[in-house]
Amino acid sequence: MTSVNGLEDNFLRGIDFFSGLPEEDLRVFVRASHIRHYRKNEHIYHQGDESDRFFAVMGGWIKLYRETVDGEEAVPALLTTGDISGESAILYGNKTCVFSAQAVEKTCILEIRKSVLEERANANPDILRRIIISVSKKMDRLQTENEHMFHMNTAQRVACLLLRLSAHMVGNGGTFTLPYDKSIAAAQLGMKRETFSRALMRLRPMGVHVNGSEVTINNFGSLSEYCCLHCSLSAGDCTGSRCSTCTSQGCGTQLLSSRL
Amino acid sequence: MTSVNGLEDNFLRGIDFFSGLPEEDLRVFVRASHIRHYRKNEHIYHQGDESDRFFAVMGGWIKLYRETVDGEEAVPALLTTGDISGESAILYGNKTCVFSAQAVEKTCILEIRKSVLEERANANPDILRRIIISVSKKMDRLQTENEHMFHMNTAQRVACLLLRLSAHMVGNGGTFTLPYDKSIAAAQLGMKRETFSRALMRLRPMGVHVNGSEVTINNFGSLSEYCCLHCSLSAGDCTGSRCSTCTSQGCGTQLLSSRL
DNA sequence: CGAGTGGTTGAAGAGTGTCAAACAGTGTGG
DNA sequence: CCACACTGTTTGACACTCTTCAACCACTCG
């Protein structure tokens, strides 16, 4: 591999969707890659645009959103480094984007034309399997979001988000920076700005302290107990859960036995 | 095809997922089919069971649901004749069912072992494409449900459901029978029984009259205007919409122009 | 007839959304 | 340097929706 495309090559190999593909496929994808930069608030595409490419996020945050006729906005997903989007629409009938995609901060993506993915999928059906896995994971995530709207109050949903955003942190507690505006976090969770702000206040007794975009969680475990008990995911299926009384095994079996 | 499997054969050919597949594939699937009958309230499988088969509904209604530790239930989908389930878990990593499936009335399904689908998908990658299409459609549906929870009140969500349940009817209005209990409809829409009942009352001024499980809608068009304006789907993407001021083209363009 | 199931109704309360105002931080121009 | 505008956020008061809990009703089945 020439150094010209070294960046693309390294990046793609690090993403689940591409990792482990045959060298031939990787070479084609790397050669078809276009790296694009977007400023804050810039749009990557608009709802209704032709869906002729898919992309992977190399850095920054992207908001996918959809608008209703009366101007309300829904945010089905926020994408960041390593996430991919558009992989299913590629082979699926719909030729137009069902969402808009907007950079919520300085963002860099790697994009590949639809036709390249199609051609490679024809040559190597394993790519189709990877698409199924990717879409299924997104579906599970969406399903969980749905349940949260139904069973959890705003404070619990905010707690859940904070735990997922701090999933990489080690230790019992700590401080981290919100990676995007609170308004966007609120929209992602299906609530208003004001409600999000008040929900953060309500988490203070649970050991959550907020100063601007700096969030301190005293104890991940106890915050998990506050919200994860109302979620049907077993701890092993959730990146955010640190629930000690609700381990992967514990949750599952508890659920099974309580069902009857 | 022998008459022994004529039923399976005819049924499978009528379903999108199988329709148009090569004869060889269809023969294999028909031969691997098992028709099973379930009584009302009987379970087809439980959350956590091994996911080793997928099925298509031949008749009746099936409730997919998930329970949280504290006993709350979420209903991600109700399946009926022609719907399929389990097609993605087949090739996807998870070996256990993430939902429970229960017949909400006398139900008949056609089930096929996971290994058969895998073997056929290896021989004919077009099957993988069909799985992607199927999962993507479910994802869109779920996404729409999510938005409805956020943007529409209970009466509007109930109106949307009634329109979808009566989508097959011709004419400006008419009477039909709810295919399952109101409690189940309520759970499907993420609301309580009592709220569903009151929402139906609130629809009376919109020309909706209910007597037991008999529902009369005076005018599909005006009911559509009451709810579909708060939905981001264009009319062409929704089976229920009969909105005259909001045609497929109208909605889309309105949305695009109002975005800026 | 009584029990069981599914559905409706009423009163009360918690939780969110709405609207308006104020605030903090940042950049900009004079 | 200050004044100013601008954006993102917080706070308060209030209205409204939905849930909760309880009672009651309609219907079916034994």
Side-chain angles (χ1 to χ4, degrees):
Chain A
M1 185 55 51
T2 70
S3 70
V4 179
N5 287 329
L7 185 60
E8 292 88 331
D9 188 73
N10 274 330
F11 174 68
L12 287 186
R13 285 175 199 273
I15 296 185
D16 274 356
F17 185 79
F18 296 96
S19 164
L21 280 176
E23 283 302 316
E24 185 189 347
D25 292 335
L26 281 171
R27 260 198 302 277
V28 172
F29 284 130
V30 166
R31 232 176 294 145
S33 294
H34 294 278
I35 294 182
R36 301 206 189 284
H37 298 271
Y38 293 89
R39 291 184 305 276
K40 178 168 180 166
N41 294 331
E42 201 173 355
H43 273 85
I44 290 131
Y45 55 79
H46 286 288
Q47 191 171 350
D49 285 357
E50 191 190 359
S51 146
D52 57 353
R53 55 210 163 123
F54 81 115
F55 67 84
V57 184
M58 301 185 77
W61 283 87
I62 292 173
K63 178 178 77 171
L64 300 186
Y65 69 96
R66 203 146 78 157
E67 280 180 323
T68 60
V69 177
D70 53 359
E72 292 289 333
E73 177 182 295
V75 177
L78 290 175
L79 308 179
T80 189
T81 311
D83 291 333
I84 63 176
S85 178
E87 75 279 18
S88 73
I90 264 14
L91 300 146
Y92 182 28
N94 56 350
K95 297 277 196 243
T96 60
C97 302
V98 286
F99 309 124
S100 298
Q102 182 184 28
V104 298
E105 60 176 53
K106 197 162 166 298
T107 294
C108 177
I109 69 173
L110 182 154
E111 97 183 10
I112 296 176
R113 283 191 323 284
K114 163 184 180 165
S115 53
V116 176
L117 183 64
E118 278 173 345
E119 181 258 320
R120 275 298 95 190
N122 284 332
N124 177 10
D126 183 43
I127 291 175
L128 295 174
R129 284 170 212 275
R130 287 166 183 251
I131 293 177
I132 294 173
I133 291 172
S134 173
V135 176
S136 294
K137 279 185 180 158
K138 290 180 183 181
M139 178 121 167
D140 287 347
R141 176 82 224 119
L142 200 55
Q143 175 55 38
T144 302
E145 215 70 62
N146 245 340
E147 288 183 25
H148 285 188
M149 288 283 273
F150 192 19
H151 295 310
M152 286 161 59
N153 65 30
T154 50
Q156 288 159 345
R157 302 216 299 280
V158 170
C160 173
L161 177 65
L162 295 182
L163 286 168
R164 280 180 288 133
L165 288 176
S166 59
H168 61 284
M169 294 171 69
V170 294
N172 294 326
T175 300
F176 68 99
T177 304
L178 286 175
Y180 40 76
D181 286 350
K182 290 176 184 171
S183 317
I184 293 172
Q188 177 189 11
L189 295 175
M191 65 184 76
K192 299 296 169 188
R193 287 195 293 282
E194 298 93 324
T195 307
F196 184 87
S197 179
R198 291 183 175 112
L200 281 176
M201 291 297 104
R202 284 208 276 156
L203 290 179
R204 193 170 293 178
M206 271 79 225
V208 175
H209 297 269
V210 181
N211 188 334
S213 61
E214 299 284 299
V215 178
T216 302
I217 299 176
N218 290 343
N219 190 309
F220 296 130
S222 57
L223 192 60
S224 274
E225 297 205 9
Y226 172 69
C227 61
C228 298
L229 288 180
H230 305 276
C231 178
S232 70
L233 283 185
S234 51
D237 294 333
C238 177
T239 55
S241 176
R242 321 270 191 111
C243 199
S244 56
T245 64
C246 172
T247 64
S248 175
Q249 196 193 10
C251 248
T253 53
Q254 196 172 348
L255 203 52
L256 285 173
S257 58
S258 73
R259 183 180 3 84
L260 302 173
Chain B
M1 185 56 50
T2 71
S3 70
V4 179
N5 287 329
L7 184 62
E8 292 88 331
D9 189 72
N10 273 330
F11 174 68
L12 286 186
R13 284 174 199 274
I15 297 185
D16 274 355
F17 185 79
F18 295 97
S19 164
L21 279 178
E23 285 302 317
E24 185 189 348
D25 292 335
L26 281 171
R27 262 199 301 277
V28 171
F29 285 129
V30 167
R31 232 176 292 144
S33 294
H34 294 278
I35 294 182
R36 302 206 188 284
H37 298 272
Y38 293 88
R39 293 184 303 277
K40 178 167 179 167
N41 293 331
E42 203 174 353
H43 272 85
I44 290 133
Y45 54 80
H46 286 287
Q47 191 170 350
D49 285 357
E50 190 190 0
S51 146
D52 57 354
R53 56 212 163 122
F54 82 114
F55 67 84
V57 184
M58 300 185 76
W61 283 87
I62 292 172
K63 179 178 77 171
L64 299 187
Y65 70 96
R66 203 145 79 155
E67 280 181 322
T68 60
V69 178
D70 52 358
E72 292 289 334
E73 176 182 297
V75 177
L78 290 175
L79 308 179
T80 190
T81 311
D83 290 333
I84 63 176
S85 179
E87 76 279 18
S88 73
I90 266 9
L91 300 147
Y92 182 27
N94 55 350
K95 297 278 196 237
T96 60
C97 302
V98 286
F99 309 124
S100 298
Q102 180 185 27
V104 298
E105 59 176 53
K106 198 162 164 297
T107 294
C108 178
I109 69 172
L110 183 154
E111 99 183 8
I112 296 175
R113 284 192 322 284
K114 165 185 179 165
S115 53
V116 176
L117 183 65
E118 278 174 347
E119 181 258 321
R120 275 298 96 189
N122 284 333
N124 176 10
D126 184 43
I127 291 175
L128 296 174
R129 283 170 212 275
R130 286 165 184 253
I131 293 176
I132 294 173
I133 291 173
S134 173
V135 175
S136 294
K137 278 186 181 158
K138 290 180 184 181
M139 179 123 166
D140 287 347
R141 176 83 223 119
L142 200 56
Q143 174 55 38
T144 302
E145 215 72 61
N146 246 340
E147 288 184 24
H148 285 187
M149 287 284 271
F150 191 20
H151 294 311
M152 286 161 60
N153 64 30
T154 51
Q156 288 159 345
R157 300 216 300 281
V158 170
C160 173
L161 177 66
L162 295 181
L163 286 168
R164 280 180 287 131
L165 288 175
S166 60
H168 62 283
M169 295 171 69
V170 295
N172 294 327
T175 300
F176 67 99
T177 304
L178 286 176
Y180 39 77
D181 286 350
K182 290 175 184 172
S183 316
I184 292 172
Q188 178 189 11
L189 295 175
M191 64 184 78
K192 299 298 169 188
R193 288 196 294 285
E194 298 93 323
T195 307
F196 184 86
S197 180
R198 290 182 175 114
L200 282 176
M201 292 297 102
R202 285 208 276 157
L203 289 179
R204 193 170 293 177
M206 271 80 226
V208 175
H209 297 270
V210 180
N211 189 334
S213 61
E214 299 285 300
V215 178
T216 303
I217 298 176
N218 290 344
N219 190 309
F220 296 129
S222 58
L223 191 60
S224 275
E225 296 203 10
Y226 172 68
C227 61
C228 298
L229 287 180
H230 305 276
C231 178
S232 69
L233 282 186
S234 51
D237 294 332
C238 177
T239 56
S241 176
R242 322 272 191 108
C243 200
S244 56
T245 64
C246 172
T247 65
S248 175
Q249 196 192 9
C251 247
T253 52
Q254 195 171 348
L255 202 52
L256 285 173
S257 57
S258 72
R259 182 180 3 86
L260 302 174

